[in-house]
Every structure is written in C-alpha cells, then in structure tokens.
C-alpha cells in the first residue's frame, strides 16, 4: 500500500504535495486530517505563518539586499559620499575588519560581490543547478552568509542588545552628558547592522535552496524516507534521540558557561579595586571616570545572568514555564521563545569575539582578552540552541513528518 505522505514527491520539492495540500485546505478552528497535529487558532496562525514562511521570502529579500547594497557600493566606487569603511574620527569608527579601507579599492569589490549575489540568488529562486553548479551556488551562499553576518561586523549588535533598555530610555530622555543619540547610532555602526541583516538573509536563503534541491522538506529539513519520516498518515512516532540531544546539549552549555567566567571575574575584580589583567594606571583612570566601574560590573552581572539562562536549554524549566513565572506557570514553552533570542545572541557574540581577537594586547590582556572567548561562547550557545530545537520540534506542520 503506498505511503500517502512520502510517495510521489516531485523532483526538487522538499514537501510532499499530499500533506502540503491537506494542510492548506485546513479550515480555521478545524482539525487537520491524516494524523497531522492540529495547529493554533486562525489569528495566531497568521502571525506564525509570516515567520514560518522564511524559505519563501528569505531568498527574495537576499536578492533585494544584494541589489541595493551593490548599487550603494557602485555609488561609493565613483566617489559618492558616505563610504562606511573609510578612516574617520575614532569616536565614529567601528571595529569592522574592513575599516579603515579605501573606497576605490573596496567599493568596486563589494559591487561585484553583490552583483554576483543577485545572479546567484535568482538561480536559487529558480531552483537551478545540479552537481558542480549546485555546489558553486551553495558555496557562494554560505560564504556570503558567514562573511556578512560573522566576519565583517563588530560588537555593535551585541552592544545594542545589551544596552537596548537604556537606549530606549535615552530615545525619550536624551543621552546624559554632552553626547546625543548620534554619537551612539552613527552611520559606520548602522552600516554594520545592515550588513549583518544581509548575512542572515543569505544564510536562510542558502539553507532553503539546499533543502529544496536535496528533496527535503524546506521547512523542517527532514528527508522523505530518512530519520523522522513517518511511515504512514497515522504514525506519529518520533525517532529523535532526545536523551542524546540533551546530553550533548549539557556539554555545549557547560562550554558556554565556562567561556563567560574570565570576563565576569575581571569586571567584578575591577569594581573591587583589583587590577586583574590591567595596569594600575588604567584602573585609576576608570575610578576617575564617573560610572565606568559600575558599567563594567553591570556587564559582568549581565553576562553571569546570561550564563544562568542558558541552562534553560537543557533543563525542564526551559520547556515548561516554572512557578516563578506565575502568570504562565505550568504551560508549555513554545520552542521559538527560547530559540529566537538564544540564536540571535549566539550570532552576535561571534563577530564581537573576533573583533576582540584583532585588538588583543598582551600587556593589558584583561581589557579585551576575556572577550575573545565570546567566539567560543557564541559557537557553544549556537550548538546548544540547535540541539534544543531538534529535541523540542514536533511533527512538521507542512510535510507531516516527525
């Protein structure tokens, strides 16, 4: 008897049409036939659809991003103002690996890189490429994603995430002292955020293309007859090794927690007048700068709290709201509630750690030395987040596998 879920999958499609069509015919408030798990109500479903449809819109937005950024690079190559990697005053500079550089050299290279991205993106949208051609398209996509999201940016995104509550207050009250918001959100820093977004778009577009051309479900990545594929429309057995995923998740969390300790210890030591990893002169300068030691202590405390929150990726309170969250206690935590912020922090930590490695000074290792381990922290947190997602995901709402 044929498998109604996995048989007759069209070439190049990641989702079997039978399950996909049945899902799209689902009526609001009704149930899904063929054993598929019932989805949320209509209003909640529309919000979920916008983000769950990332395989459809990420490729288009990656092409649009490449076209606009390539046009800007061409403008800078012909002498236009605003080249974001030129040498500027130290207060308005960034820690990007491309800064400082000359527009007549870097801008043409960026325009060619983006023009190639438009071509590659359009080919990916058409699902073109087999064999070596497919490998070349994937190589460009992953290279663009890694370079734009992890290599070119600096610590800006991480800083904005950490200080976002304070910046929100400053937007209404103004920045204390002689500075203003322009001294915090200047163009060189804003450009790196634009580049970072482009990297995320290219990573998502490349992942979607890889799944489509490999015959996998483009939404969950499961193969029609691989692990996790269902053997029938009423079989919901999940073959995921949750114990193994949790075990490796604990190891990843342990590595992430250990990598935060040097930063936490040095900042706390400075607050208590101990020049750990710095000179006495630098510690005196910090004491004489109002709020400097307090900010360092606050960053150390935030880092410590972040390491504690990471345990939720392997603990029960990361799956069911604990009692101290009284308004939701006992309810199941949606995986996206943990996956989205953890993944965002993970990818923000890596470029910050790489920037610290470029600025390392052995004579004052305590200033940026502990921050180099942010790269390890980001990678370990990313692995733990991925394992948490694989452990928590259920039956795919699109292809019915699980």
């Amino acid at each position: 008897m044929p498998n109604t879920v996995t048989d007759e999958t069209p070439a190049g499609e990641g989702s079997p049409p039978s399950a996909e069509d049945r899902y799209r015919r689902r009526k609001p408030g009704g149930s899904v036939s063929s054993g598929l798990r019932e989805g949320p109500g209509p209003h909640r479903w529309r919000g979920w659809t916008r983000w769950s449809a990332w395989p459809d819109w990420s490729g288009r937005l990656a092409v649009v991003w490449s076209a606009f950024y390539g046009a800007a690079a061409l403008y800078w190559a012909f002498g236009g103002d605003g080249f974001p990697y030129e040498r500027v005053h130290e207060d308005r500079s960034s820690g990007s690996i491309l800064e400082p550089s000359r527009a007549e050299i870097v801008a043409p290279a960026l325009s060619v890189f983006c023009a190639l991205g438009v071509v590659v993106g359009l080919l990916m949208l058409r699902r073109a490429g087999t064999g070596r051609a497919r490998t070349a398209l994937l190589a460009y996509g992953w290279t663009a994603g890694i370079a734009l999201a992890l290599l070119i940016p600096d610590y800006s995104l991480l800083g904005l995430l950490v200080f976002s509550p304070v910046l929100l207050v400053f937007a209404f009250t103004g920045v204390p002292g002689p500075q203003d918001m322009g001294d915090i959100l200047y163009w060189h820093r804003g450009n790196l955020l634009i580049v970072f977004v482009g990297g995320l778009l290219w990573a998502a577009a490349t992942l979607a293309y890889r799944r489509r051309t490999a015959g996998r479900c483009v939404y969950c990545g499961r193969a029609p007859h691989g692990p996790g594929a269902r053997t029938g429309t009423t079989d919901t057995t999940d073959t995921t090794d949750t114990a193994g995923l949790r075990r490796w998740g604990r190891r990843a969390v342990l590595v992430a927690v250990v990598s935060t300790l040097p930063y936490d210890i040095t900042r706390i030591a400075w607050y208590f007048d101990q020049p750990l990893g710095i000179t006495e002169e630098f510690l005196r300068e910090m004491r004489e700068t109002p709020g400097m030691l307090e900010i360092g202590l606050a960053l150390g405390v935030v880092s410590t709290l972040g390491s504690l929150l990471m345990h939720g990726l392997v603990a029960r309170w990361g799956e069911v709201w604990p009692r101290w969250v009284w308004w939701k206690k006992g309810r199941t935590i949606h995986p996206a509630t943990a996956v989205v912020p953890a993944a965002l922090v993970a990818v923000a930590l890596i470029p910050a750690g790489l920037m610290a490695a470029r600025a390392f000074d052995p004579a004052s290792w305590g200033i940026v030395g502990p921050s180099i381990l942010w790269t390890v922290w980001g990678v370990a947190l990313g692995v733990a987040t991925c394992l948490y997602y694989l452990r928590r995901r259920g039956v795919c709402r699109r292809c019915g596998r699980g």
Side-chain angles (χ1 to χ4, degrees), residues 26-30 39-49:
R26 178 185 179 272
K27 297 180 181 180
H43 297 289
R44 184 180 175 187
W45 167 247
R46 283 196 295 268
W48 183 86
T49 301

Side-chain angles (χ1 to χ4, degrees), residues 101-401:
S101 61
R102 299 169 58 184
E104 58 267 27
I105 297 176
V106 174
L110 287 175
S111 63
V112 172
F113 176 78
C114 291
L116 183 59
V118 172
V119 175
V120 171
L122 292 175
L123 291 175
M124 285 184 175
L125 290 175
R126 294 174 61 88
R127 307 179 189 181
T130 57
R132 293 182 178 178
R134 176 178 179 269
T135 301
L137 295 179
L138 289 173
Y140 175 91
W142 290 127
T143 301
I146 294 173
L148 295 173
L150 302 181
L151 299 182
I152 296 179
D154 62 357
Y155 69 101
S156 296
L157 180 62
L158 182 63
L160 291 177
L161 289 176
V162 173
F163 291 104
S164 55
V166 178
L167 294 177
L168 183 61
V169 175
F170 288 168
F172 295 96
T173 64
V175 181
Q179 294 182 325
D180 55 26
M181 288 298 290
D183 296 317
I184 300 176
L185 301 176
Y186 45 84
W187 168 232
H188 279 224
R189 177 170 287 173
N191 167 72
L192 295 183
L193 298 180
I194 295 174
V195 169
F196 178 81
V197 171
L200 295 185
L201 290 175
W202 268 109
T206 306
L207 179 60
Y209 171 76
R210 179 182 179 276
R211 288 177 175 178
R212 283 192 178 100
T213 53
R216 294 176 174 269
C217 174
V218 72
Y219 297 94
C220 71
R222 293 182 176 99
H225 302 287
R230 297 168 63 181
T231 58
T233 57
T234 59
D235 182 10
T236 58
T237 302
D238 194 345
T239 60
T240 303
D241 180 13
T242 56
L245 293 176
R246 190 184 296 274
R247 182 170 59 254
W248 282 103
R250 290 195 185 99
R251 295 171 181 173
V253 168
L254 177 61
V255 172
V257 170
V258 171
S259 65
T260 68
L261 294 179
Y263 184 88
D264 303 344
I265 293 173
T266 53
R267 271 55 185 176
I268 295 173
W270 297 348
Y271 181 79
F272 290 101
D273 211 29
Q274 299 297 320
L276 182 61
I278 58 175
T279 62
E280 290 281 357
E281 181 182 0
F282 186 74
L283 180 60
R284 184 170 57 254
E285 292 178 0
M286 287 197 295
R287 283 199 302 264
E288 295 173 354
T289 303
M292 182 65 70
L293 290 176
E294 288 74 11
I295 292 175
L297 177 64
L299 291 176
V301 172
V302 169
S303 176
T304 302
L305 293 177
S307 65
L308 293 176
L309 286 176
M310 286 187 296
H311 286 86
L313 297 173
V314 292
R316 176 169 173 75
W317 58 266
E319 302 178 15
V320 179
W321 289 105
R323 288 178 295 178
W324 41 273
V325 187
W326 66 90
W327 62 94
K328 284 191 174 183
K329 64 178 180 179
R331 299 182 184 179
T332 300
I333 298 177
H334 194 287
T337 304
V339 169
V340 172
L344 184 59
V345 171
V347 295
L349 283 166
I350 294 176
L354 294 177
M355 187 198 76
R358 296 192 296 269
F360 179 68
D361 181 8
S364 300
W365 62 266
I367 300 177
V368 297
S371 302
I372 297 176
L373 294 177
W374 286 348
T375 303
V376 179
W377 184 4
V379 173
L381 177 57
V383 171
T385 303
C386 182
L387 295 174
Y388 173 87
Y389 164 74
L390 293 176
R391 181 166 51 84
R392 292 290 315 283
R393 68 176 181 174
V395 176
C396 178
R397 289 185 167 106
R398 296 287 182 159
C399 69
R401 303 176 193 132

